[in-house]
Amino acid sequence: MGMPQKTMNDPNDNMPPPYPPPPGMGTPPNPAYPPPPGYAPPPGAGYPPPPGYPPPGAPPPPMATGAALQGFVQNAIAVVTKPAAATFNATMNTANWQTMAIVIAIMGAVSGIINGLHHEGSVLGGIIGAFIGFFIGTGILQLIAKAFGGTGTYRNYAHALLLFYAPLAIFDALAGWLSYIGLLLTLAAGIYGIYLAILATVSQHQLTMGKATAVVLIPAAVAFVLVIVLGVLLAGLAIATGYHL
């Protein structure tokens, strides 16, 4: 047997192996090829953004209070004048607790001033009542919507409801000055508010019109029955007290 013949070496055989990409970019690094001394790959995936730009995936910075309130007013006008589930969908990304708290405080203060001039009431009482009434009412609707398979969050649902609840509440306070015409206007505003609440429920909880209608009307029906029962009890108490006089 003869000696094995030597073959010509490929020039690439003497080339160093290719350096793997930094972590998070391309294929995972091969532990058999560590980076050369002194090299530090950038932290995380890829390279950091240039100064002045937020990192990838970061939430948008909060809007200034004045701009947020202006945006809320524009969205409220849109949902009241152009009622549709799509209109509520377009306002979902603007929901935040700070703006809602300011709007509820303004709504309660204005209603308290108007009611104080016409009947009895105060600014502080109007604000406290507005916060308690709105958040408890929204919580009841949220629980019923979840029972029907709703998927919306409490914050977004509250924001959608507040878009029309705030202007209608101030409208009701002003309509109270108009006696019988005011009662008709209040009734019309209440019916329109129910319709808008149904659209907001369809939008935020992804429910059908039938289920959303049930969500909104169930607490209204329960409240109506309770008012009738309370009225009957008060009337019976008055009659019983009259007989004892």
Side-chain angles (χ1 to χ4, degrees):
M1 297 179 63
M3 297 295 292
Q5 297 181 356
K6 293 184 180 181
T7 59
M8 297 182 62
N9 293 332
D10 190 342
N12 293 329
D13 291 343
N14 298 326
M15 297 289 291
Y19 180 71
M25 297 184 61
T27 58
N30 191 336
Y33 302 98
Y39 177 81
Y47 293 90
Y53 289 86
M63 299 175 60
T65 302
L69 289 176
Q70 183 179 2
F72 183 92
V73 171
Q74 293 174 350
N75 290 332
I77 294 174
V79 300
V80 172
T81 59
K82 300 176 182 178
T87 309
F88 284 101
N89 291 338
T91 67
M92 188 182 304
N93 294 332
T94 62
N96 66 85
W97 291 115
Q98 180 181 0
T99 303
M100 284 191 284
I102 295 175
V103 171
I104 294 173
I106 294 174
M107 174 188 68
V110 173
S111 299
I113 293 174
I114 296 174
N115 292 330
L117 294 175
H118 187 54
H119 304 290
E120 292 182 1
S122 64
V123 174
L124 181 60
I127 295 176
I128 295 176
F131 273 96
I132 295 176
F134 177 76
F135 284 117
I136 290 179
T138 301
I140 294 174
L141 292 177
Q142 175 75 3
L143 292 176
I144 299 175
K146 288 293 186 180
F148 277 91
T151 59
T153 63
Y154 181 83
R155 186 196 67 173
N156 288 348
Y157 192 35
H159 177 265
L161 295 175
L162 188 61
L163 285 172
F164 65 87
Y165 181 80
L168 291 183
I170 296 176
F171 176 82
D172 288 344
L174 292 172
W177 287 74
L178 303 177
S179 185
Y180 296 108
I181 298 178
L183 292 176
L184 295 176
L185 293 176
T186 300
L187 178 62
I191 296 174
Y192 189 51
I194 292 175
Y195 175 65
L196 292 175
I198 294 172
L199 294 179
T201 305
V202 171
S203 165
Q204 301 303 313
H205 283 287
Q206 301 300 305
L207 296 176
T208 62
M209 283 292 292
K211 290 183 177 181
T213 302
V215 169
V216 175
L217 293 185
I218 284 176
V222 172
F224 179 74
V225 172
L226 291 177
V227 168
I228 292 178
V229 172
L230 181 61
V232 172
L233 292 177
L234 292 177
L237 180 62
I239 293 175
T241 304
Y243 280 128
H244 285 88
L245 292 177

